[in-house]
């Protein structure tokens, strides 16, 4: 259900299954850089292929390294072997690093000490993310770095370093741990012992642990004195470990584990576990505090929902800043409030994540309070689902964590492609473990009997029923009442967005008034056909139609249910009958209501409506390739209902077996 600007994630009925995680972004980007700096060739397996790692790959040749793709997420990196054989390109090399924070910070440090002339820049948001603390530290070591525009922020111009004799460098640790990580990775380039002293409370410590562990794998053991002082010894030099396996991404695991904790489970993620070096595996512990049932092995973690659901918690999130965003959305499904503390670093990430998360959680109906370094979430009494969608701020993690809102109902995620930064196939993975509420889509021409059949199938299954034609009829009726011409696309579309409608047992209400009879009048029938040919009206009604897809299932009838509104429907039927049979059925219906009309005029009318519905430019009536054809010319209603019931059961069976 994609278009360019948003993805509609239908309500999920449950979550269950196994996911093999893509490689860790944090580890991939560190070891790519270390392999490039090392002597020897390194085979890296399980490397994450995403926007952020592509930035790092693009930068490796500046260090004299090269990479060869071996297939299946494996690469061979020919390391440049440190400082000896440096050959710098003529002039200045320009490196565009998007919004990749890890790549930007670590490359700044490495290139500033390595030598050569570079311009490092990124997307506008990257130019708002501070880097002054790192530059200050590097300057103590002789680095020549100039801010191109604003003091303390990228873009940066880097020139070859000047020799400096110092053995100690001080760096602030309370804005981003990436400054310390970048510095540590670069220090072996100095060729002598250097001690790093951390000023201020070091945040996101587990990311520094990943840095130290990765450096150790490449032969450099930094000595750690608490979290205040780190010493890179004299003679430290990176050596290839020959082969390195990248763990699965623990931050990416958080979405699936939360899905298991909300949607039943068990959901198992493979690629991270008890032996992981990533701090974000502690997310599983946080979920456990919320009541989730967690199990884990060396290489896997599994989460299930507790009886009675999750409960709110108060948590210091300093060690898990990224995965904590997932907790904020899980909090919507918990009893009681959740407070996430010590998350000031959210403010300097891809966007101001505290402000962004608060705004989007509120859209769903939560009560949210924020401070400089905390967020407090009171779950909604009743979820709201904004037709304008959840905004994602070009922040992959916002898109991914808000996909969990689909456990409550239809979630429209704007700019869904931003997940490519770390997880290009995220939605396909989510689909695999979180089954969307099933749909039976029944399309066909007017008076084919699809409405009667669809409503009866829905009743038999105990599912919801959507008469999508009624929405177009209601739009036409509302336009008529407001004195808006059916052809006034802009005004009719904004009316369609605002319609106050309610479907009851055999009733259709517009602004609180039953209009079941009124929308079946001839003038409204042809008005509906007219407004249905306006693209903006169809767009305006799309969200409304999809919102009918609620647990335990939906039977929807119309013209474009299988092709546009529910293209992923498990069972698609195109129901038709000869135009003669349809005219006779309609004639019988009208006679029954005491309305006299001739069959030839009905026949003519029906042919015209068929032509208009199937020849219009947007969402014309047509049988999709994957729809089953049912011709009811000679069938009774009961026979048609039975036919659909059997086909629907078969498709459900096939899906389960797959
Ligand atoms: O199914 P019906 O006769 O109530 O539909 C009324 C009009 O709305 C009809 O002209 C076709 C149009 N329609 C549509 O374009 N797309 C739908 N999904 C349903 C109805």
């Amino acid at each position: 259900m994609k278009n360019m600007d948003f993805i509609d994630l239908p309500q999920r009925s449950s979550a269950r299954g196994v996911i093999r995680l893509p490689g860790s972004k944090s580890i991939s980007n560190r070891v790519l850089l270390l392999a490039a700096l090392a002597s020897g060739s390194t085979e890296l397996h399980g490397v994450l292929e995403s926007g952020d790692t592509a930035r790092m790959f693009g930068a490796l040749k500046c260090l004299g390294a090269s990479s060869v793709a071996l297939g299946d997420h494996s690469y061979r990196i020919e390391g440049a072997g440190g400082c000896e054989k440096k050959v710098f390109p003529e002039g200045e090399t320009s490196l565009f690093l998007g919004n990749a924070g890890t790549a930007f910070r670590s490359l700044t440090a490495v290139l500033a000490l390595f030598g050569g002339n570079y311009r490092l820049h990124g997307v506008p948001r990257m130019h708002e993310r501070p880097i002054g603390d790192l530059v200050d530290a590097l300057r103590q070591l002789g680095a020549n770095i100039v801010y191109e525009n604003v003091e303390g922020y990228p873009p940066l111009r880097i020139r070859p370093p000047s020799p400096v004799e110092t053995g100690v460098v001080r760096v602030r640790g309370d804005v981003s741990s990436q400054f310390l990580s970048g510095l540590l990775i670069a220090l072996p380039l100095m060729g002598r012992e250097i001690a790093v002293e951390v000023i201020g409370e070091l945040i996101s410590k587990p990311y520094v642990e990943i840095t130290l562990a990765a450096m150790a794998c490449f032969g450099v053991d930094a000595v750690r004195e608490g979290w205040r002082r780190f010493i890179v010894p004299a003679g430290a030099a990176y050596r290839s470990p020959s082969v390195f396996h990248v763990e699965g991404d623990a931050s990416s695991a958080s979405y699936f584990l939360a899905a298991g904790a909300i949607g039943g489970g068990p959901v198992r993620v493979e690629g991270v576990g008890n032996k992981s070096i990533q701090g974000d595996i502690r997310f599983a512990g946080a979920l456990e505090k919320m009541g989730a049932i967690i199990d884990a092995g060396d290489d896997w973690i599994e989460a299930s929902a507790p009886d009675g659901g999750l409960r709110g918690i108060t948590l210091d999130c300093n060690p898990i800043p990224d995965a904590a965003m997932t907790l904020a959305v899980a909090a919507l499904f918990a009893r009681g409030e959740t407070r996430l503390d010590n998350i000031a670093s959210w403010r300097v990430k891809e966007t101001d994540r505290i402000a962004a998360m608060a705004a989007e959680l509120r859209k769903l109906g939560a009560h949210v309070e924020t401070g400089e370094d905390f967020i407090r979430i009171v779950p909604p009494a009743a979820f709201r689902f904004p037709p304008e969608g959840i905004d994602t701020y070009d922040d992959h993690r916002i898109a991914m964590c808000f996909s969990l809102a689909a456990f409550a109902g239809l979630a429209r995620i704007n700019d869904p492609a931003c997940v490519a930064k770390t997880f290009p196939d995220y939605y396909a993975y989510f689909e695999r473990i979180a089954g969307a509420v099933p749909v039976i889509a029944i399309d066909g021409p007017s008076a084919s009997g699809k409405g009667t059949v669809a409503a009866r199938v829905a009743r038999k299954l105990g599912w919801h029923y959507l008469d999508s034609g009624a929405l177009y009829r209601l739009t036409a009726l509302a336009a008529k009442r407001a004195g808006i011409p059916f052809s006034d696309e802009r005004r009719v579309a904004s009316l369609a967005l605002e319609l106050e409608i309610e479907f009851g047992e055999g009733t259709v209400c517009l602004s609180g008034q039953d209009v079941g009879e009124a929308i079946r009048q001839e003038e409204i029938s042809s008005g509906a056909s007219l407004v249905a040919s306006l693209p903006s009206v169809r767009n305006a009604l799309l969200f409304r139609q999809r919102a009918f897809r609620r647990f335990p299932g939906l039977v929807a009838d119309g013209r474009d249910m299988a092709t546009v509104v529910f293209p992923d429907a498990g069972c698609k039927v195109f129901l038709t009958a000869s135009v003669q049979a349809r005219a006779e059925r309609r004639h019988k219906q009208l006679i029954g209501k005491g309305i006299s009309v001739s069959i030839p005029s009905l026949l003519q009318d029906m042919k015209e409506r068929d032509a208009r519905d199937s020849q219009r430019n947007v969402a014309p009536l047509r049988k999709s390739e994957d729809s089953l054809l049912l011709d009811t010319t000679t069938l009774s209603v009961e026979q048609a209902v039975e036919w659909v019931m059997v086909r629907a059961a078969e498709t459900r069976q096939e899906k389960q077996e797959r």
Side-chain angles (χ1 to χ4, degrees):
M1 286 200 191
K2 265 188 210 182
N3 85 4
M4 268 178 24
D5 303 312
F6 62 80
I7 185 171
D8 279 340
L9 300 176
Q11 191 183 32
R12 310 284 137 171
S13 44
S14 62
R16 193 186 173 82
V18 180
I19 291 283
R20 166 123 309 253
L21 294 164
S24 154
K25 176 193 80 163
S26 303
I27 298 176
S28 294
N29 262 354
R30 283 167 174 77
V31 295
L32 279 170
L33 190 49
L34 294 174
L37 290 171
S39 51
S41 145
T42 312
E43 259 185 35
L44 298 175
H45 297 286
V47 176
L48 175 67
E49 283 153 359
S50 75
D52 270 11
T53 51
R55 308 286 184 209
M56 188 58 100
F57 269 110
L60 297 188
K61 57 179 176 304
C62 293
L63 299 165
S66 65
S67 68
V68 182
L70 306 174
D72 198 21
H73 311 283
S74 297
Y75 292 83
R76 185 178 317 107
I77 311 290
E78 296 296 339
C83 314
E84 282 81 46
K85 316 171 270 196
K86 283 182 206 169
V87 186
F88 298 115
E90 290 275 313
E92 183 186 71
T93 305
S94 173
L95 277 180
F96 174 76
L97 296 170
N99 202 2
T102 333
F104 206 108
R105 275 71 182 256
S106 57
L107 282 166
T108 296
V110 166
L111 294 173
L113 300 187
F114 187 72
N117 296 291
Y118 311 92
R119 176 173 185 260
L120 265 54
H121 59 120
V123 297
R125 173 64 187 169
M126 193 72 233
H127 299 170
E128 293 170 4
R129 298 174 68 182
I131 197 159
D133 295 333
L134 175 60
V135 171
D136 289 349
L138 291 166
R139 283 175 174 165
Q140 296 164 45
L141 297 169
N144 287 313
I145 302 172
V146 177
Y147 299 111
E148 193 174 289
N149 298 326
V150 182
E151 196 71 6
Y153 295 86
L156 302 179
R157 290 210 126 94
I158 295 177
R159 299 285 169 260
S162 323
V164 169
E165 284 308 312
T166 183
V168 180
V169 54
R170 294 187 180 79
V171 65
R172 267 184 65 184
D174 53 358
V175 173
S176 168
S177 65
Q178 288 173 355
F179 302 152
L180 175 60
S181 280
L183 199 58
L184 287 168
I185 289 173
L187 283 184
L189 291 170
M190 295 296 290
R192 61 172 194 270
E193 181 179 301
I194 306 273
V196 186
E197 290 177 2
V198 179
I199 304 163
E201 163 79 15
L202 180 64
I203 60 167
S204 312
K205 297 184 180 87
Y207 287 103
V208 177
E209 300 218 50
I210 296 178
T211 305
L212 296 174
M215 287 168 65
C217 283
F218 282 79
V220 173
D221 286 301
V223 180
R224 182 161 83 76
E225 295 172 5
W227 290 106
R228 292 250 147 253
R229 210 174 135 85
F230 301 80
I231 299 157
V232 174
Y238 293 121
R239 285 186 315 276
S240 165
S242 299
V243 178
F244 186 97
H245 290 268
V246 177
E247 288 181 12
D249 194 293
S251 314
S252 298
S254 69
Y255 315 112
F256 305 110
L257 294 175
I262 297 164
V267 173
R268 177 181 288 213
V269 292
E270 291 178 345
V272 290
N274 292 330
K275 292 221 163 135
S276 173
I277 60 167
Q278 296 169 79
D280 268 358
I281 58 154
R282 293 189 213 174
F283 171 82
L287 264 189
E288 199 166 28
K289 248 185 120 184
M290 293 181 85
I293 299 157
I294 302 289
D295 199 0
D298 285 351
D299 184 45
W300 57 271
I301 310 176
E302 196 173 273
S304 305
D307 287 340
L310 300 174
R311 56 177 178 269
I313 52 169
T314 296
L315 192 73
D316 177 349
C317 295
N318 187 322
I320 53 165
D322 283 0
M325 297 167 73
T326 313
L327 291 177
V329 181
L332 296 173
F333 297 87
R335 262 172 297 113
E337 66 172 65
T338 290
R339 188 182 155 117
L340 306 177
D341 284 315
N342 214 349
I343 53 167
S345 67
W346 280 20
R347 298 227 180 252
V348 292
K349 296 288 174 127
E350 278 79 343
T351 184
D352 176 343
R353 285 177 167 170
I354 294 187
M357 291 296 291
E360 303 313 307
L361 290 165
R362 284 186 188 120
K363 277 190 192 167
L364 293 169
H367 174 80
V368 183
E369 197 190 312
T370 62
E372 222 11 72
D373 68 346
F374 78 89
I375 188 165
R376 189 175 80 91
I377 302 141
V378 181
F383 271 91
R384 285 201 298 264
F385 294 96
E388 71 273 23
I390 303 289
D391 289 320
T392 48
Y393 307 78
D394 203 14
D395 186 337
H396 55 136
R397 300 213 179 280
I398 295 189
M400 293 190 277
C401 66
F402 274 98
S403 67
L404 296 170
F407 283 98
L410 175 64
R412 174 167 286 186
I413 309 285
N414 293 331
D415 185 22
C418 65
V419 300
K421 189 173 196 290
T422 52
F423 204 157
D425 301 327
Y426 175 72
Y427 303 104
Y429 277 68
F430 184 67
E431 212 63 49
R432 242 184 270 157
I433 55 119
V437 164
V439 182
I440 300 174
I442 305 183
D443 290 307
S446 53
S448 57
K450 62 186 186 315
T452 314
V453 171
R456 289 212 197 168
V457 170
R459 203 168 326 124
K460 276 184 171 239
L461 291 170
W463 288 10
H464 300 278
Y465 167 55
L466 166 63
D467 170 6
S468 62
L471 294 178
Y472 290 97
R473 289 172 180 273
L474 285 160
T475 305
L477 180 66
K480 183 181 167 230
R481 289 187 172 173
I484 299 172
F486 294 139
S487 56
D488 188 336
E489 180 163 2
R490 194 183 54 78
R491 290 172 72 201
V492 177
S494 68
L495 199 66
L497 274 180
E498 313 274 290
L499 290 181
E500 221 184 276
I501 50 183
E502 208 180 300
F503 290 90
E505 280 286 317
T507 60
V508 186
C509 290
L510 179 63
S511 305
Q513 182 197 4
D514 188 0
V515 292
E517 288 286 320
I519 59 166
R520 301 284 152 198
Q521 287 162 6
E522 207 37 52
E523 186 192 356
I524 298 305
S525 295
S526 59
S529 176
L530 279 170
V531 300
S533 66
L534 307 174
S536 319
V537 173
R538 301 200 75 85
N539 268 340
L541 291 177
L542 196 57
F543 188 84
R544 268 180 192 274
Q545 294 175 77
R546 289 179 174 167
F548 276 82
R549 187 175 186 175
R550 297 192 65 81
F551 187 76
L554 174 70
V555 186
D557 84 66
R559 305 294 190 285
D560 60 346
M561 298 298 100
T563 50
V564 176
V565 184
F566 303 112
D568 66 332
C571 178
K572 298 179 176 181
V573 177
F574 191 84
L575 200 145
T576 187
S578 70
V579 68
Q580 183 72 33
R582 288 189 282 131
E584 283 167 13
R585 285 178 195 164
R586 178 57 52 90
H587 184 249
K588 226 161 117 185
Q589 247 177 15
L590 294 173
I591 295 285
K593 286 186 184 168
I595 304 169
S596 95
V597 49
S598 77
I599 292 190
S601 85
L602 274 175
L603 202 58
Q604 182 58 28
D605 195 44
M606 207 149 277
K607 282 181 182 164
E608 279 170 18
R609 189 109 56 94
D610 281 359
R612 200 159 47 214
D613 288 347
S614 52
Q615 282 164 19
R616 68 180 176 220
N617 290 332
V618 280
L621 170 67
R622 66 173 175 83
K623 179 189 165 305
S624 67
E625 263 176 30
D626 54 353
S627 289
L628 304 162
L629 182 69
L630 175 61
D631 187 333
T632 63
T633 306
T634 59
L635 296 184
S636 67
V637 172
E638 288 70 28
Q639 284 172 315
V641 169
E642 195 45 38
W643 189 93
V644 175
M645 291 291 290
V646 170
R647 295 302 171 286
E650 281 172 2
T651 44
R652 280 205 302 283
Q653 178 81 24
E654 279 168 24
K655 195 169 171 213
Q656 273 164 12
E657 284 168 8
R658 251 185 275 137

